[in-house]
Amino acid sequence: MSNVATLTINGQTIELPIIEGVEGDRGIDIRQLRQKTGFITYDPGYGNTGSCKSAITYMDGEKGILRYRGIPIEALADQSSFVETAYLVINGELPTREQLNRTSVQLNDHSLVHEDMQIFYQNFPRASHPMGILSAMVNALRSFYPELITSDSDFEEVYVRLISKIRTMAAISYKISRGHKVEYPRADYTYCANFLNMMFNTPVKPYILRKELVRALNVFWILHADHEQNCSTAVVRSVGSARTNIYASLSAGISALWGELHGGANQAVIQMLSDIHEKGIKVKDVIKRAKSKTDPFRLMGFGHRVYKTYDPRAKIMKHNCHEVLDRLNYQDPLLDIALELEQIATSDPYFLDHYLYPNVDFYSGIMLRAMGIPTSMFTVMFAIGRLPGWIAQWRENTLDPEQRLTRPRQVYTGLTERPYIPIDERGNGPD
Ligand code: SDX
């Protein structure tokens, strides 16, 4: 196999190096293209463009493979915990028992949020979307922790602080949005158990932890921990490339995740399924709309830029969803609708021809609903899970000697040069 690509433009032939990843993924290194030919490439949405080399997550979209630091997502979902997986994604190796215990102590040490931050929460309008609050509050952490990251130990303190506090911050925004007393973290609870307790424990009705739900939440966050160069991760890397601090970089990533084409899809799926249920819309009519060239409606929770087969996370999420609903003896008509949608869509030529299968967001909301998480918090749940991946990718980008300030080029389609017209000579024109 050649290690160069030959390109001939306007009678000029140049050679461009080919770089190869450890799994055989190959890229044409175009860093010399413009200098050698005057041409740039054009790739809206970067579907064919590699922005970096990365050793964190490997995906094979055709085979439905997902591995964090080489370990298959199926093995992690089956045997790991979210804290252990977060450690793996960030540090590159599974922790020893001593390292895991140390991390758990650190997470507890950093689980409180500065009391002054609670005043910020009190002043958001009650109906504020929790993703907007989360993005603002993660950015605000910079004001409380202005120290720069100058060493690995600094980085360790920063990432443990972030992973611990994001969970507390999310629960605080939920409690305050309901006018309820804020619940503090407990040193005797594990990461996921603490989150559930901070969300649902009240002075009049103690929250009874159920190990099945704690396990389901661990798996949910393991499935979301990283996903190579998705939209929000690309934003975190891009903002970090300007040497912006990690808090502001992550805040930007939270904002990108909010969109319904990305992490916001888990909320959009439930809204779609609820609409079908409450308005008595026929599933076949939904499928018809999704296939229409003139209707902007998309089947939320379906399709993926990389996966051209069933999202491996969706398979696990679907199983998790059934397990949680069975254990809670919770009947949800939206699950029946989702199963019918999947059954029809995955046998429809349009969906098969477009490689449209359920993605991670299709079943996740149904499980979260059964656990009592409000729909408005679904994308916050995604953000908590994705935080280790964003942190790992930000750090990899910062340390990568090949990385530069993100600054894409463009093809200009505006007006060619024309003179400035003084206002008195511009005539009246349209009002
Ligand atoms: C996430 O990148 C990641 O890794 C993201 C993520 C992660 O973990 O970080 O996996 C999380 O964001 C999952 C995706 C969640 N979004 C949704 O579920 C929203 C619905 N899905 C889509 O809008 C869409 O599938 C995207 C945005 C996910 C991917 O779209 P692409 O790759 O930009 O493809 P496209 O929009 O150009 O569509 C290609 C064709 C079009 O038809 P044609 O004009 O070519 O005939 O597929 C059609 C689209 O109309 N299509 C759909 C569809 N998704 C694509 N048609 C109906 N319903 C859909 N859901």
Side-chain angles (χ1 to χ4, degrees), residues 12-71:
Q12 176 197 6
T13 298
I14 64 163
E15 288 191 340
L16 295 168
I18 287 176
I19 58 172
E20 184 163 351
V22 297
E23 293 286 350
D25 41 328
R26 294 156 58 79
I28 299 171
D29 182 341
I30 58 166
R31 283 178 286 183
Q32 301 295 314
L33 178 68
R34 190 169 184 279
Q35 185 189 330
K36 288 185 174 176
T37 69
F39 280 71
I40 62 167
T41 58
Y42 178 65
D43 187 19
Y46 306 128
N48 300 280
T49 298
S51 59
C52 64
K53 295 172 185 171
S54 180
I56 300 169
T57 290
Y58 173 69
M59 291 169 66
D60 181 320
E62 284 66 35
K63 296 176 186 161
I65 291 172
L66 174 59
R67 301 183 198 130
Y68 299 153
R69 302 288 188 177
I71 301 177

Side-chain angles (χ1 to χ4, degrees), residues 227 230-231 260-263 265 290 293 298-305 313 350-351 354 356 359-361 382 386:
H227 217 232
N230 59 85
C231 177
E260 70 169 13
L261 291 187
H262 190 14
K293 281 265 172 259
R298 287 277 175 97
L299 193 59
M300 302 317 278
F302 258 72
H304 198 275
R305 173 66 58 78
R313 303 167 299 175
Y350 171 89
F351 288 84
H354 284 85
L356 302 176
N359 58 50
V360 70
D361 295 312
F382 192 142
R386 185 51 52 86

Side-chain angles (χ1 to χ4, degrees), residues 11 64 99 109 167 211 254 271 285 295 313 329 364 382 418 425:
Q99 288 167 330
D109 292 348
R167 165 198 49 169
K211 63 182 188 319
I254 293 167
Q271 281 156 353
D285 293 338
D295 189 332
R313 303 167 299 175
N329 194 24
S364 60
F382 192 142
R418 59 180 176 144
E425 299 170 25

Side-chain angles (χ1 to χ4, degrees), residues 417-426:
E417 184 174 0
R418 59 180 176 144
Y420 175 82
I421 309 295
I423 191 160
D424 296 335
E425 299 170 25
R426 291 178 200 159

